[in-house]
Amino acid sequence: MLKIILFEVKKIMRSNYFYILLAIFALLLVGYYTFVYHHTVRVEELIVDYENRVHIQEEHIENIRDEIESSENVEKYQLQRNLEIAEDFLSTDLVILSAYKEHDWRTLLEMEIESVEESVRNIQQNQTSYLVSTHPSRFTTETLLDYYKWLYDKSIRPVFPIFYLFSWYTVYDLEFNDPMIETETKELSNKHSSAGVYFLNHVVKVSYTIFGIVAFLFLFGDILTKEGLGRNGPIHFLQTQPLSRYKMFLGKFFTLLIASVAILLILSGISILIGTIFDRFGHLNYPVLVYGEEYTFTFINMSTFIFLSSLLFMLVLLFSYSVLFLFSVLAKRTLTAVGLTVATIYIGILWSEDTIISAISPYIPFHYFSVADIVTNTYAATNDNFAFSLMNGSIVLIVSSLLILSLTYLLFRLQQRLS
């Protein structure tokens, strides 16, 4: 077995095609980091914004004072009230500005927690049910409060912006009072951070999808098919060795999994390294929201989310490689096998969307290609079916992969006998 794996690894390392695709992956990674870096809200930008706000507020206060001196007694009361309100706003802005300058995140979070706690009290009094879906819903305010408390308790620098009502929404916020508020909320809630750990989180969400699956299929597809079964290529050399067909079969498949894990580790390391060099390392304990049944919820740290997502993605790759192996035995050509595999996955995902309300839907492996949404139960909450879980998905993908591999092995043996 080890001999086959080493042979396949050497074959990969000698492939120009493999290095070209890796170079393309690296360029895409750098390009994506440039995008994330450009869209990251930085403390320096917030300091400039608040300095401008303070300057405008001070001028406004000065104008009110001038009006008070030149106004009649009847108008002075209202102007005095306006002055008190403006001074309160200025006082708050000065505290926030000072906190940004001193990187005092706990003060910022204390102010946000105080504001959200008041909103939670009000919304709990007015919304006795979680079924109200207008933003901000009761579920959204409660999760935001716990999100801020997590950051505060663990002294974690937040990812900006953190303005309440405009920087957080959940799948239960189906309606917005104003289209402009909806657009702004969804834009600001899609936070970006170029810090190492958080950038890796971005990479996981973007790449652990069908696009990442297709990339890995093209990267390693020729391991199974490039020499062609029955030809006088490397596979013929293996067949002349004292190796069973069973070992040849498993050796190739294990090589795929080992190489895939290696690539994921390398890309993860590069992502963290780039983020650390150009920004900072970030925080492994940053909170990630996980939906629960009956409007419950919890938070997991970002390192756990990345690990669980990587684990599920490897199981999705296992299933995809099983399909690729099946078509490799049937088609014996890399492009044909990969094309048929991609087409099968795409059709399977479309079919799974059409059968989402079916009782057997949670047992269809194509549902679990939305890796990040499965890990956070976003997929389950959106479809109101918590059978779409990480545990069920893992079992379904493993069983499906084993069934397809068993069928592939039987076809492989049948071809060998017929030839």
Side-chain angles (χ1 to χ4, degrees), residues 33 37 40 42 193-196 274-281:
Y33 184 78
Y37 190 90
T40 299
R42 308 201 174 279
S193 174
S194 54
I274 293 175
T276 303
I277 291 174
F278 291 98
D279 194 338
R280 66 187 194 283
F281 178 76

Side-chain angles (χ1 to χ4, degrees), residues 117-135:
E117 281 180 336
E118 182 179 354
S119 298
V120 168
R121 287 192 294 269
N122 292 335
I123 205 167
Q124 286 177 345
Q125 292 174 357
N126 298 325
Q127 292 185 17
T128 56
S129 172
Y130 284 97
L131 297 178
V132 178
S133 58
T134 303
H135 177 269

Side-chain angles (χ1 to χ4, degrees), residues 253 312 314-316 318-320 322-323 362-366 368 390-408:
F253 201 79
L312 181 59
M314 282 303 306
L315 294 178
V316 172
L318 172 68
F319 174 79
S320 302
S322 301
V323 178
Y363 308 106
I364 299 174
F366 299 103
Y368 301 98
L390 175 62
M391 179 63 70
N392 286 345
S394 301
I395 295 172
V396 168
L397 289 167
I398 291 172
V399 172
S400 301
S401 300
L402 291 176
L403 290 175
I404 295 173
L405 283 174
S406 299
L407 174 62
T408 305

Side-chain angles (χ1 to χ4, degrees), residues 137-317:
S137 62
R138 178 174 177 177
F139 181 86
T140 294
T141 55
E142 291 177 355
T143 54
L144 179 60
L145 179 59
D146 276 24
Y147 167 77
Y148 284 147
K149 287 182 177 180
W150 177 296
L151 296 175
Y152 181 84
D153 293 339
K154 300 182 184 300
S155 300
I156 299 174
R157 170 179 173 168
V159 174
F160 301 108
I162 58 171
F163 307 123
Y164 174 54
L165 293 181
F166 297 105
S167 64
W168 185 267
Y169 83 103
T170 64
V171 298
Y172 297 118
D173 295 315
L174 303 178
E175 301 175 8
F176 289 80
N177 292 323
D178 189 314
M180 292 184 63
I181 292 178
E182 179 179 4
T183 300
E184 186 173 5
T185 299
K186 291 184 177 181
E187 180 179 345
L188 295 178
S189 296
N190 186 25
K191 300 180 180 68
H192 293 88
S193 174
S194 54
V197 174
Y198 208 98
F199 175 62
L200 176 57
N201 174 68
H202 288 310
V203 172
V204 164
K205 290 182 177 179
V206 170
S207 61
Y208 288 6
T209 59
I210 187 172
F211 301 106
I213 295 296
V214 172
F216 272 86
L217 290 175
F218 275 98
L219 186 63
F220 295 120
D222 64 340
I223 289 181
L224 301 178
T225 56
K226 69 182 287 186
E227 60 267 302
L229 297 176
R231 295 188 174 198
N232 293 324
I235 192 70
H236 177 72
F237 169 76
L238 287 178
Q239 290 175 345
T240 63
Q241 304 302 304
L243 300 171
S244 66
R245 300 293 184 269
Y246 178 75
K247 289 184 178 180
M248 290 170 54
F249 186 87
L250 289 183
K252 281 179 169 290
F253 201 79
F254 285 145
T255 303
L256 284 175
L257 297 181
I258 293 171
S260 299
V261 170
I263 293 298
L264 288 181
L265 291 175
I266 291 171
L267 292 178
S268 298
I270 293 175
S271 299
I272 293 178
L273 181 62
I274 293 175
T276 303
I277 291 174
F278 291 98
D279 194 338
R280 66 187 194 283
F281 178 76
H283 211 297
L284 293 171
N285 277 329
Y286 205 90
V288 176
L289 175 65
V290 177
Y291 294 87
E293 296 186 66
E294 298 180 355
Y295 297 94
T296 59
F297 64 90
T298 186
F299 284 93
I300 59 175
N301 59 52
M302 190 163 284
S303 59
T304 301
F305 167 75
I306 292 172
F307 173 76
L308 293 177
S309 298
S310 300
L311 182 62
L312 181 59
F313 184 68
M314 282 303 306
L315 294 178
V316 172
L317 278 179

